[in-house]
Amino acid sequence: MSTSPPADPQTLAARWIRPEIRQLAAYHVPDARGLIKLDAMENPYPLPLQLLAPWQARLASAELNRYPDPAAATLVNTLTQVFAVPDGQRLLLGNGSDELIQLIMMSVLGPGRSVLAPEPSFSMYRMIAGFVGLAYHGVALNPKGFELDVDAMLAAIDRHQPAVVFLSYPNNPTGNLFDRDAVLQIVRRAPGLVVVDEAYHAFAGGASLLSDLPQHSNLLVLRTLSKMGLAGLRLGILAGAPPWLDQINKIRLPYNINVLTQLSAEFALQHYAVFRQQTDRICSDREALLTALRALPGLQVYPSQANFILFRTPRGRAPVLFAALKARGVLIKSLDGSHPQLHDCLRVTIGTPDENLTFIAALGQALDEPLDQPLDGAAVL
Ligand SMILES: *Cc1c(COP(=O)(O)O)cnc(C)c1O
């Protein structure tokens, strides 16, 4: 019998955890306590007061001692109607659309298999490919307006024969809506799946490929309730043809949508107009914020069809401006350094009108600060 002392957890983890996981940087969520939170594309509006009591009454009926309906059949029916899912198409629900992205990737995994996406786009496509063990190919967007470089995309598709292409429509973090014909060219050329990720559908003036599903046997459409006001529920929705969804469904863990989420989402969808009012409000506030940002000196402001705005600061100033905003109590997202095409770029989520005003005032002041001077309050960072 061995008498050597057991190895410490560090040594054991280094031996057994997969090397590609040990090399990953953990997904970092910044601490937003005490800050105006304009970093994560959340809807700034809570559930309206008059819905609070009926929602709580609904929750009081939840059977917490029972497992949830594994198929979430009631919720699926409601979603099918509210989203006008075409006849013959199926829905699969995930614990956020992140989980659905992971399930799609796990279901196509194998030697020589790869995932392809334009870049810069949603960072989770690359991250999840990395941790499920799929090769990932990024294809640069056209640097001018972040439009799809169709020739480059088609050439990369021909070369790599990817199992899945992910297109964020509108695109996160650039905010633009790709040209619809370009997307359809990619759908027609791709040998495998094309997942059109419509996380920002509520802000895109109705642009969608959902009604195109019946025409394209390799198309899937991804939606989420997160950006329209229910990020805390974690509910993602995948729409597509049964032969795809039936297979992907086999690797979904049976109770991935919990009882409280099923009840709350069902309730929220019965009051869909309330959320539409909020997202419409966010869209008109987006236009006001675009105008205000464009009036500030030295910024390049990109158009947006989402609930956030990407802008480029004068060269080299993004880190200081980001920190100056935080010192003034406003948390946004810095994309500087995350991708070559995003140097000097910051991204702000549309908040309430008051939050947007605070942000613009703080940014205006920060832009006025003399360069190379330490900020008041820099110690707070
Ligand atoms: C936010 C986001 C998601 C993830 O949404 P969840 O449903 O909250 O997991 C998916 N795709 C894109 C492009 C996003 O920006």
Side-chain angles (χ1 to χ4, degrees), residues 92-107 122 124 128 131-132 166 222-224 234-238 248-249 251-258:
L92 183 63
L93 306 187
N95 189 331
S97 45
D98 287 348
E99 186 190 32
L100 292 165
I101 294 168
Q102 184 183 37
L103 291 177
I104 293 166
M105 289 199 193
M106 283 164 50
S107 70
F122 187 41
M124 280 288 161
I128 297 174
F131 64 68
V132 309
F166 282 92
L222 193 56
R223 296 265 183 98
T224 174
R234 310 301 300 130
L235 189 73
I237 302 118
L238 182 66
I248 299 169
N249 190 35
I251 58 168
R252 177 181 63 84
L253 297 177
Y255 306 115
N256 64 330
I257 313 298
N258 71 69

Side-chain angles (χ1 to χ4, degrees), residues 61-273:
S61 75
E63 293 189 289
L64 294 182
N65 57 321
R66 302 290 178 197
Y67 283 107
D69 173 359
T74 311
L75 180 55
V76 163
N77 274 334
T78 307
L79 282 163
T80 302
Q81 282 159 31
V82 172
F83 287 177
V85 177
D87 282 351
Q89 304 296 311
R90 177 91 43 95
L91 296 184
L92 183 63
L93 306 187
N95 189 331
S97 45
D98 287 348
E99 186 190 32
L100 292 165
I101 294 168
Q102 184 183 37
L103 291 177
I104 293 166
M105 289 199 193
M106 283 164 50
S107 70
V108 299
L109 182 62
R113 295 294 179 84
S114 69
V115 165
L116 186 145
E119 286 204 335
S121 190
F122 187 41
S123 59
M124 280 288 161
Y125 305 145
R126 177 194 281 275
M127 273 195 62
I128 297 174
F131 64 68
V132 309
L134 268 171
Y136 172 91
H137 306 288
V139 179
L141 289 172
N142 200 324
K144 281 219 190 62
F146 297 121
E147 188 45 72
L148 286 168
D149 181 340
V150 182
D151 291 341
M153 285 293 288
L154 297 182
I157 287 168
D158 290 349
R159 187 162 61 249
H160 300 298
Q161 298 288 297
V164 193
V165 178
F166 282 92
L167 298 173
S168 172
Y169 185 81
N171 190 41
N172 174 14
T174 59
N176 60 308
L177 186 69
F178 295 143
D179 178 65
R180 182 186 156 83
D181 288 331
V183 171
L184 288 172
Q185 278 190 63
I186 288 165
V187 172
R188 284 191 290 263
R189 187 74 148 254
L193 279 173
V194 177
V195 177
V196 172
D197 181 346
E198 300 186 351
Y200 300 97
H201 172 257
F203 313 98
S208 173
L209 272 82
L210 192 65
S211 62
D212 298 271
L213 280 173
Q215 277 83 56
H216 303 280
S217 54
N218 62 336
L219 176 63
L220 299 179
V221 171
L222 193 56
R223 296 265 183 98
T224 174
L225 300 190
S226 296
K227 311 296 159 60
M228 55 163 265
L230 298 165
L233 287 185
R234 310 301 300 130
L235 189 73
I237 302 118
L238 182 66
W244 289 111
L245 269 59
D246 287 347
Q247 298 302 326
I248 299 169
N249 190 35
K250 293 179 186 170
I251 58 168
R252 177 181 63 84
L253 297 177
Y255 306 115
N256 64 330
I257 313 298
N258 71 69
V259 169
L260 300 180
T261 294
Q262 291 192 31
L263 282 177
S264 301
E266 172 74 18
F267 174 81
L269 291 164
Q270 286 163 356
H271 301 276
Y272 195 55

